[in-house]
Amino acid sequence: MADKGSKKKTGLTLACIILAVLVIFIIFLVKKDSILTNLKETRFFERVFGSTPEFVENHTPAEQSTIPLPVEDNAGEVTIKVEPAKPAKPQENQTSKETEKPAEKTEQAEKPEKPAETTKPVQNAYMDVQLCFVEIDPEGSINRKLIKRSVPKNDSPLTQAIKLVLQGPDTTKSAEKNCTSLIPPGVKLLGVKISDGVAYLDFNDSFEINTNGVEGYNAQLMQIVYTATAFSTVNSVQFLIEGSKKEYLGSEGQWIGSPLSRNSF
């Protein structure tokens, strides 16, 4: 009976040992990579037995850590090395419509929002220009009339002012209600140039025909000169007809061979 109990105890012990070995073996298989990595990094075999087995020394971890590690350079400064993250592969079962949806959202996000509407007027969008027209009193006398008109700003204010004079007064405005213009109809401005305080104004040949005689010619020249010299960069006006300088205007013989200033009238 004693032999049977002893054998039974020995068999149980052997079974426990085998089970423990199997458990250790299974744990080793599951944690093989971590165990070999730790044995290699800690130099366990080298410290205990004097040398590291070849299979431990040649072991390479299955996955590389993506956590940035500090690395000291020769100057003692610490540099952080970070491996770029690998882009995620798109799922094969994703439809083309599903892949387009994120792009649509991105385009919508990139569109700038419309600015809120405001009722405040834009500052400095207008400027005042001085225009020269005439008034004819009941006795037939021609009187000079200078008016100011608010117009949109542009890069050629002199050109704009001369063209407004050619169009005539705006009788819907109270300041211009009794004004008129003696510049012949059909006159067009062909070119503008300013040099050394002289404005070279080129008109078409309609500028030479004025049915109001001497007073008409004198008034049309005065209207142009006073309008142009209202600008600080212009002191006088040289009249050109179809690009050419002429000495006299029309059959009445009004002198235009040299620049005319306000003192000419």
Side-chain angles (χ1 to χ4, degrees):
M1 294 295 293
D3 292 337
K4 290 182 179 181
S6 177
K7 290 181 179 180
K8 185 176 181 180
K9 185 176 181 180
T10 301
L12 181 60
T13 301
L14 182 60
C16 290
I17 293 173
I18 294 173
L19 180 60
V21 171
L22 287 175
V23 171
I24 294 172
F25 181 72
I26 292 172
I27 293 174
F28 176 78
L29 291 179
V30 175
K31 300 292 183 178
K32 177 183 177 182
D33 184 70
S34 299
I35 294 172
L36 292 178
T37 300
N38 290 332
L39 290 175
K40 179 179 179 181
E41 292 179 352
T42 58
R43 316 296 294 181
F44 173 78
F45 285 102
E46 184 176 349
R47 294 175 181 177
V48 176
F49 301 103
S51 63
T52 302
E54 186 176 352
F55 73 93
V56 176
E57 185 68 29
N58 296 333
H59 173 69
T60 301
E63 296 181 357
Q64 296 291 337
S65 173
T66 58
I67 299 176
L69 299 177
V71 180
E72 285 195 11
D73 56 16
N74 295 332
E77 297 180 355
V78 177
T79 305
I80 302 298
K81 294 184 178 181
V82 181
E83 295 185 359
K86 296 181 179 180
K89 295 182 179 180
Q91 297 181 0
E92 296 180 356
N93 59 350
Q94 192 174 17
T95 62
S96 60
K97 291 183 179 180
E98 291 176 343
T99 57
E100 290 175 358
K101 287 181 180 180
E104 292 175 359
K105 291 181 180 179
T106 303
E107 291 177 358
Q108 292 177 358
E110 291 176 354
K111 291 181 179 178
E113 295 181 358
K114 293 183 179 179
E117 295 182 358
T118 176
T119 57
K120 294 182 179 180
V122 179
Q123 298 295 328
N124 301 324
Y126 288 82
M127 63 177 292
D128 289 336
V129 294
Q130 180 177 280
L131 308 178
C132 182
F133 296 113
V134 295
E135 284 184 340
I136 303 176
D137 61 22
E139 297 179 357
S141 299
I142 299 174
N143 302 311
R144 182 172 56 248
K145 181 69 174 181
L146 301 177
I147 63 98
K148 286 187 178 181
R149 189 185 295 179
S150 182
V151 297
K153 273 191 172 183
N154 62 46
D155 296 332
S156 304
L158 175 58
T159 300
Q160 182 184 34
I162 298 299
K163 287 183 177 181
L164 289 175
V165 169
L166 297 181
Q167 292 174 8
D170 184 356
T171 55
T172 62
K173 300 180 182 297
S174 59
E176 304 178 35
K177 187 176 182 179
N178 298 322
C179 294
T180 188
S181 175
L182 292 182
I183 299 175
V187 173
K188 294 182 180 180
L189 181 65
L190 304 180
V192 176
K193 178 184 176 182
I194 301 176
S195 178
D196 297 329
V198 179
Y200 293 83
L201 304 182
D202 186 15
F203 297 95
N204 64 347
D205 53 11
S206 295
F207 195 77
E208 294 186 277
I209 303 172
N210 196 312
T211 59
N212 295 302
V214 176
E215 292 182 345
Y217 281 115
N218 188 68
Q220 76 180 67
L221 293 175
M222 178 187 65
Q223 286 185 236
I224 299 297
V225 169
Y226 268 79
T227 299
T229 55
F231 294 92
S232 60
T233 56
V234 179
N235 298 321
S236 59
V237 176
Q238 175 62 64
F239 289 91
L240 303 175
I241 307 298
E242 298 288 347
S244 300
K245 182 191 294 185
K246 293 189 176 184
E247 292 185 354
Y248 297 97
L249 181 64
S251 60
E252 303 296 335
Q254 292 298 115
W255 174 257
I256 58 170
S258 59
L260 303 179
S261 65
R262 293 191 176 190
N263 293 331
S264 302
F265 304 94

